[in-house]
Amino acid sequence: MDNGKKTRDGSIDVLRSIGLLCIVLAHVVPPNWLFQIRNFDVPLMVFISGYLYAGRANQIQSFTSLLDYLGKRFVRLVVPVWIFLSLFYLIQYCFPSVFPINYTLFPDVMRSSYLLLEGFGYVWIIRVFLMMAILGPLSMVYFKKPISILYYYISYEVVYLLVQPYLGDGIGKQFNEILLYTAGFLVFFLLGSTYTSLTKSAKTILFTVTIALTALGGLYFYLYENVAFNIGSFKYPPRLFYMYYAVAICLFLFHLRPWLAPFNNRLITFIGSSTIWIYLWHILLLLILPIENWGIRFLVVFMLASTLTYVQQYLVEMFIRLSGCSSAVSKQLRIIFCS
């Protein structure tokens, strides 16, 4: 959810916009069939992060450059969340009646959200991106080839099966939310980072296998379990059919990049470069707007979140112009508030 390169790839902004739209869509509770289809959203954003990181990996050749990279990721990802949460809780404290739950009455929830843990939901995705930033440089050293990523994935699934009975609460729950979530989403980061090195046949095989496994999963649940195929039930932590489906869709969308690029425009570039603040503002709007129809709620929440982000960026740019602050301060303000 951060900026890509200085020379922006229009197709990446389109893909980021698709991912963000799907994430917001999930939170307005659409019909189940649509909710299942959009289950590639977070994996797509992580896949994009891996893809972009691979393009700049040669810039990180020393421990100093690694620390500089991690510091920038922290400022881009965590600082905006802490600022938003502070404003969010201040609004809740002043106007508790407009919220379904006043989280300021639950210090544990507040502390958990600042730590990017469970909190009141929504902010766990930032923890995932932060962990990808931390583990990305290390993981790419050991998992450069597709076969090594496959071995890693199989090991991950085996570990989950072994520890699954102990993930209910306490340390087990923390192990699940922090380590297993990270380990699972790391698969998408690694695939994204190796995407350009994959041959056309390798991409075709991977797509065919993952979409076939997803179809077989759906068939199994229909024939033997007599229930609807709930891909999202394999999301926390990501595993099995959730991962197969998401990998297939990520590969499909990346294959379409040459045809997606022409759809890029100023609006798409704005959304693609402002994903974190649009995402943060949509949390507040979700909780205070009493709109029952999911379609209307989706449009209103996304449009207002985008508008708030645009106004925020305009005000920050105005402050920078009028205050005459140094270029270093201006740069940090733009990174934090203007993506």
Side-chain angles (χ1 to χ4, degrees):
M1 284 185 162
D2 52 285
N3 273 349
K5 305 171 184 178
K6 290 184 179 180
T7 302
R8 300 196 67 84
D9 183 335
S11 66
I12 293 299
D13 281 325
V14 175
L15 291 176
R16 277 175 164 160
S17 299
I18 292 173
L20 180 61
L21 284 165
C22 288
I23 292 172
V24 175
L25 179 64
H27 293 160
V28 300
V29 194
N32 185 61
W33 64 269
L34 187 55
F35 186 85
Q36 297 303 322
I37 289 175
R38 59 88 238 161
N39 262 307
F40 62 88
D41 46 14
V42 177
L44 174 62
M45 302 297 265
V46 176
F47 193 98
I48 292 171
S49 292
Y51 173 82
L52 293 177
Y53 176 80
R56 66 170 74 95
N58 59 352
Q59 302 173 15
I60 304 174
Q61 300 293 334
S62 66
F63 184 69
T64 302
S65 60
L66 175 61
L67 289 179
D68 180 62
Y69 165 77
L70 293 177
K72 290 178 179 178
R73 295 305 98 186
F74 183 86
V75 172
R76 288 182 185 273
L77 292 171
V78 181
V79 174
V81 176
W82 284 350
I83 292 172
F84 170 78
L85 287 174
S86 299
L87 178 62
F88 176 84
Y89 287 129
L90 177 62
I91 295 173
Q92 274 215 320
Y93 181 79
C94 296
F95 308 99
S97 61
V98 302
F99 292 87
I101 300 176
N102 183 4
Y103 293 109
T104 61
L105 300 177
F106 305 96
D108 289 345
V109 172
M110 296 176 64
R111 181 170 57 252
S112 179
S113 62
Y114 277 106
L115 293 174
L116 306 182
L117 298 175
E118 186 175 12
F120 60 91
Y122 301 109
V123 296
W124 66 270
I125 186 175
I126 307 299
R127 182 185 73 247
V128 168
F129 282 103
L130 180 63
M131 294 304 293
M132 295 304 104
I134 295 172
L135 296 178
L138 297 175
S139 62
M140 287 180 61
V141 173
Y142 299 101
F143 305 106
K144 294 181 179 180
K145 298 182 179 180
I147 190 64
S148 63
I149 299 176
L150 176 61
Y151 290 152
Y152 167 78
Y153 164 70
I154 293 173
S155 301
Y156 162 74
E157 291 282 8
V158 170
V159 169
Y160 174 81
L161 289 175
L162 293 175
V163 303
Q164 192 271 336
Y166 310 102
L167 300 179
D169 17 275
I171 296 178
K173 184 178 181 181
Q174 298 300 318
F175 180 84
N176 181 36
E177 292 183 358
I178 298 176
L179 295 181
L180 287 182
Y181 277 36
T182 300
F185 280 106
L186 187 60
V187 173
F188 301 108
F189 184 93
L190 292 171
L191 287 174
S193 67
T194 58
Y195 180 81
T196 54
S197 64
L198 293 176
T199 63
K200 184 177 180 180
S201 61
K203 294 172 185 175
T204 302
I205 292 172
L206 183 57
F207 172 80
T208 304
V209 170
T210 51
I211 203 68
L213 288 172
T214 304
L216 288 173
L219 189 62
Y220 170 81
F221 276 88
Y222 176 75
L223 294 177
Y224 296 100
E225 301 293 336
N226 198 29
V227 295
F229 189 26
N230 184 5
I231 297 175
S233 64
F234 297 91
K235 182 178 180 179
Y236 303 107
R239 57 194 179 89
L240 296 175
F241 303 111
Y242 175 82
M243 301 187 80
Y244 307 149
Y245 172 73
V247 168
I249 299 301
C250 287
L251 291 172
F252 176 70
L253 290 174
F254 261 69
H255 177 72
L256 294 179
R257 283 177 60 208
W259 295 277
L260 293 176
F263 289 95
N264 189 36
N265 52 44
R266 291 182 63 183
L267 176 61
I268 296 299
T269 299
F270 166 73
I271 295 172
S273 63
S274 308
T275 50
I276 188 167
W277 273 106
I278 295 176
Y279 178 80
L280 292 173
W281 282 120
H282 107 280
I283 298 172
L284 176 65
L285 295 168
L286 277 174
L287 296 177
I288 65 175
L289 295 179
I291 302 174
E292 294 187 4
N293 182 280
W294 70 268
I296 297 175
R297 193 180 188 207
F298 169 72
L299 291 174
V300 171
V301 166
F302 193 84
M303 290 173 61
L304 286 181
S306 300
T307 301
L308 285 171
T309 302
Y310 179 83
V311 171
Q312 170 182 300
Q313 294 182 6
Y314 178 83
L315 293 176
V316 170
E317 291 293 344
M318 179 183 292
F319 172 80
I320 290 174
R321 264 194 331 268
L322 297 178
S323 66
C325 54
S326 67
S327 59
V329 173
S330 300
K331 180 180 179 180
Q332 291 304 312
L333 287 174
R334 289 191 175 104
I335 289 174
I336 294 171
F337 293 103
C338 303
S339 301

